[in-house]
Amino acid sequence: MIKAVLAHVVTSGNYKRLWLLLFCNLLYACGQYDDSKLAAKTLLYCSEGSPETFNPQLVTSGTTIDAVSQQIYNRLVKIDPTNGRVVSDIARKVIVSSDAMRYRFYLRKGVEFHTTNYFTPTRTLTSEDVLFTFSRILHQDHPYHDVGGGQYPFFEGIGLSDLIEQIIVVDDLTIEFRLVDPQASFLANMATDFAVILSAEYGEQLQAAENKDQIDTKPIGTGPFKFVQYDRDHHIRYHAHEKYWQTASELQQIIFDITPNNSSRLAKLLTGECDVMGYPTASDVGYLHSKKGIDIVETTSMNVSYWAFNTNVPPFDNANVRKALSYIVDREAIIDAVYFDLAEPANSLVPPTSWAYDNTNYVRPFSLEKAKELLAQEGYEDGFEMDIWAMPVQRVYNPNAGKMAEILQQNLAKINITANIITYDWGTFRKRLAKGEHDSVLIGWLADNSDPDNFYRPLLSCASASSGSNRSGWCNDEFDRNIISALSITDHDTRKAYYQAAEAVLFEHSPLVPIAHAVRHKVHRDYIKQVNINPYGGIDFSKAVKKVK
């Protein structure tokens, strides 16, 4: 028996002269437009860093996801940010077989790819584009598999290549995925910001021109905005997609003003040089509440910050050493100094908003004495020297990794451990982190969908240890058995029991220490409306409206 599980159709004045001069300099081509008209149709977003690529399949970086996924691309299905449910995107309907082994996607007709100065499509989206997209990820002999490094960390972390047995093109607008085993999170993973659909025709053109790398640097998608220009570490410019299959954006263009320094982003927001500010610190939020012309929206977000230990290098390959270090994490002090009380202490990997959450406490209380006892048992009563890597950018789960590292550093000194705080520019930081050059790292995770599997497999599975998204490099068969067992059934209570068993294994081995679950904020000028924060993914500007007074 075949049943329909998804058939939901998504339906959808005056600027300072200084700002105009800055705006024109940034745009560099402002002279061809009327300044005031262009400004009224342009949204400037102050972002915290540069994207690593324009293909989110290749990374797990939130900075890249924000800059790319929701702007350029669509997925087969997507997450409804209001309730966390999977709804249609360019697939108007999905039919799932009764054994949950076959997923048939019915595509919308007439979905247009971007027309740019480097590509002009001759056809609309078909099943061939979906096949091309996922074949690149799944098959090592695909001509594009190794382009961009040949790593697809999210999909490798969830074992997609072991799950999908075959992808069958039924007709131009129908495609079927056949699975090896039923998996409860399959649709949710297909709705993430990593599962974007590329253009097969564009791929063919680039392959013929022997310029395949361009598919990830000069992107083509079907999303609400199309790529125009990228000046690394300065700005990204997008124009509205005039043939977008949903309602076209009211904006003419979006500019990502890349501003890593938080104080500079705040200053640009206050002077009107930016309309929307990315990732304000908790102290900024308190300050901005008193400022006229600024709107602040607070939302619960599925995230966690954590301290991960590289279990492949000594002494962090010793579980008792890791447990000892977990005792020096003073969550109350961190939440006070780093989050300004706009977070709650984490007592498990998943936050209380997840249906898999249990109030069992899977973290160790702050105790320097217990840390010393464990270290002495392992022969480290005189301590050792270690590095703490701290992210150089602000993220919702960790607005100030440097400050957090300083608190840990002070506590480590009290148990005779000398900690060096290490940071690099964001690109270098992520590359060296992926190579496993760290002793430990302060980082975190923002869930891509509402399924709890999104916390466990990408962060801690054996597959993710190989793909690089598992920052501890930890691989445990018992942990893997529990999270895989949780995927084989749909009953929430039974799945929850498996996830709690996985939490117990995680607690016992402590490859990472959960620290906090943060509140997410959106900060923008009050003339900007309908900028949506998705609790499960990147920023969406497709419905944004700019009403300059």
Side-chain angles (χ1 to χ4, degrees):
M1 177 182 177
I2 302 290
K3 60 180 180 178
V5 297
L6 180 63
H8 176 79
V9 179
V10 180
T11 59
S12 341
N14 294 321
Y15 280 76
K16 296 179 182 179
R17 183 62 186 168
L18 172 61
W19 182 90
L20 284 172
L21 288 172
L22 289 167
F23 176 80
C24 291
N25 287 336
L26 179 63
L27 191 60
Y28 81 81
C30 196
Q32 62 184 303
Y33 301 104
D34 176 86
D35 289 355
S36 60
K37 289 182 179 180
L38 181 61
K41 292 291 185 179
T42 297
L43 185 145
L44 286 101
Y45 173 67
C46 275
S47 67
E48 78 286 359
S50 297
E52 300 158 79
T53 175
F54 284 87
N55 181 356
Q57 299 167 345
L58 306 178
V59 297
T60 56
S61 162
T63 300
T64 298
I65 295 299
D66 285 350
V68 176
S69 297
Q70 299 284 338
Q71 321 316 327
I72 300 174
Y73 299 103
N74 291 112
R75 292 141 296 282
L76 289 169
V77 289
K78 64 182 180 181
I79 301 295
D80 184 335
T82 64
N83 56 29
R85 295 177 181 174
V86 177
V87 296
S88 64
D89 199 21
I90 56 174
R92 60 181 176 81
K93 183 173 66 173
V94 182
I95 302 292
V96 182
S97 64
S98 58
D99 61 2
M101 300 276 280
R102 290 177 290 150
Y103 288 74
R104 182 167 287 192
F105 295 87
Y106 295 84
L107 307 181
R108 298 180 189 276
K109 185 178 181 179
V111 175
E112 296 275 358
F113 282 100
H114 300 151
T115 298
T116 67
N117 61 2
Y118 53 87
F119 176 68
T120 301
T122 64
R123 61 168 177 80
T124 56
L125 178 138
T126 72
S127 299
E128 292 296 332
D129 300 300
V130 180
L131 180 65
F132 170 80
T133 296
F134 288 97
S135 294
R136 173 186 179 178
I137 297 168
L138 297 171
H139 303 308
Q140 294 185 6
D141 60 351
H142 190 275
Y144 276 88
H145 181 81
D146 292 329
V147 174
Q151 298 292 313
Y152 304 87
F154 177 80
F155 296 108
E156 291 167 6
I158 64 171
L160 192 71
S161 60
D162 295 326
L163 175 66
I164 295 177
E165 180 180 57
Q166 191 176 12
I167 303 176
I168 299 172
V169 172
V170 179
D171 58 40
D172 279 354
L173 296 177
T174 311
I175 190 164
E176 183 171 290
F177 286 68
R178 295 188 176 180
L179 309 186
V180 174
D181 296 299
Q183 192 170 101
S185 65
F186 176 69
L187 266 187
N189 286 327
M190 296 294 280
T192 65
D193 283 335
F194 306 105
V196 298
I197 305 301
L198 310 180
S199 164
E201 183 183 15
Y202 183 46
E204 292 167 2
Q205 180 188 99
L206 294 177
Q207 185 175 0
E210 298 183 352
N211 191 20
K212 291 188 291 186
D213 287 346
Q214 186 172 305
I215 199 167
D216 301 322
T217 59
K218 289 190 174 180
I220 293 293
T222 59
F225 299 97
K226 58 185 180 181
F227 178 86
V228 176
Q229 182 201 15
Y230 174 45
D231 186 356
R232 184 173 180 81
D233 296 331
H234 289 92
H235 70 275
I236 309 165
R237 187 157 59 108
Y238 297 123
H239 280 176
H241 180 192
E242 63 279 356
K243 295 181 180 179
Y244 187 45
W245 61 274
Q246 294 194 72
T247 303
S249 172
E250 290 193 17
L251 299 171
Q252 180 176 319
Q253 60 185 344
I254 299 174
I255 295 174
F256 277 63
D257 183 354
I258 299 166
T259 310
N261 182 273
N262 187 73
S263 297
S264 298
R265 292 202 306 278
L266 178 63
K268 288 181 177 182
L269 178 74
L270 293 173
T271 59
E273 295 173 53
C274 284
D275 301 314
V276 184
M277 175 185 176
Y279 300 99
T281 65
S283 59
D284 290 340
V285 172
Y287 170 73
L288 289 169
H289 271 297
S290 64
K291 294 297 178 182
K292 292 183 178 180
I294 303 294
D295 280 350
I296 301 175
V297 179
E298 180 178 297
T299 184
T300 301
S301 185
M302 296 275 282
N303 67 77
V304 64
S305 64
Y306 58 85
W307 186 20
F309 307 110
N310 187 345
T311 62
N312 293 313
V313 298
F316 311 105
D317 56 348
N318 184 323
N320 278 338
V321 171
R322 301 194 300 266
K323 290 177 187 178
L325 297 187
S326 71
Y327 276 116
I328 68 92
V329 179
D330 188 346
R331 290 173 180 78
E332 290 186 10
I334 288 172
I335 288 174
D336 178 58
V338 176
Y339 296 92
F340 289 76
D341 296 324
L342 296 175
E344 59 183 304
N347 61 13
S348 70
L349 192 63
V350 294
T353 48
S354 170
W355 57 257
Y357 175 80
D358 185 272
N359 59 9
T360 302
N361 193 344
Y362 289 109
V363 297
R364 294 175 179 83
F366 176 62
S367 174
L368 297 178
E369 290 305 314
K370 289 184 178 180
K372 290 178 181 178
E373 289 175 12
L374 269 177
L375 288 175
Q377 288 178 22
E378 300 304 315
Y380 291 103
E381 57 273 3
D382 295 327
F384 52 83
E385 186 173 353
M386 65 177 290
D387 294 339
I388 302 174
W389 285 30
M391 292 188 305
V393 298
Q394 291 80 28
R395 301 301 298 166
V396 59
Y397 47 74
N398 194 334
N400 192 338
K403 181 65 177 177
M404 189 182 291
E406 290 173 2
I407 294 172
L408 296 178
Q409 182 185 52
Q410 292 165 9
N411 290 338
L412 288 167
K414 296 173 184 176
I415 60 171
N416 301 318
I417 293 178
T418 300
N420 308 304
I421 298 174
I422 305 295
T423 194
Y424 303 96
D425 67 86
W426 186 224
T428 302
F429 185 90
R430 289 189 59 84
K431 288 178 182 177
R432 300 187 70 166
L433 186 63
K435 293 178 180 178
E437 297 180 10
H438 59 294
D439 289 338
S440 71
V441 61
L442 289 171
I443 201 161
W445 185 254
L446 174 62
D448 305 293
N449 58 57
S450 58
D451 195 293
D453 175 67
N454 194 256
F455 280 90
Y456 294 101
R457 277 199 297 170
L459 299 185
L460 288 163
S461 69
C462 292
S464 66
S466 300
S467 70
S469 61
N470 180 340
R471 302 307 184 186
S472 65
W474 180 68
C475 172
N476 181 279
D477 291 338
E478 185 181 2
F479 180 88
D480 262 27
R481 281 195 300 271
N482 279 300
I483 60 175
I484 296 301
S485 295
L487 293 171
S488 64
I489 48 183
T490 56
D491 178 71
H492 277 195
D493 289 340
T494 309
R495 290 188 72 195
K496 182 175 179 177
Y498 280 118
Y499 287 129
Q500 290 307 302
E503 286 277 5
V505 176
L506 175 60
F507 178 67
E508 176 61 25
H509 292 266
S510 299
L512 60 75
V513 182
I515 296 175
H517 306 295
V519 173
R520 189 174 185 181
H521 291 91
K522 177 184 68 176
V523 178
H524 57 84
R525 304 292 303 189
D526 60 5
Y527 50 73
I528 299 293
K529 309 297 180 185
Q530 296 177 221
V531 174
N532 296 321
I533 289 185
N534 188 336
Y536 310 102
I539 298 172
D540 179 6
F541 292 119
S542 64
K543 294 179 175 61
V545 177
K546 187 171 186 177
K547 296 184 176 180
V548 182
K549 299 177 182 178

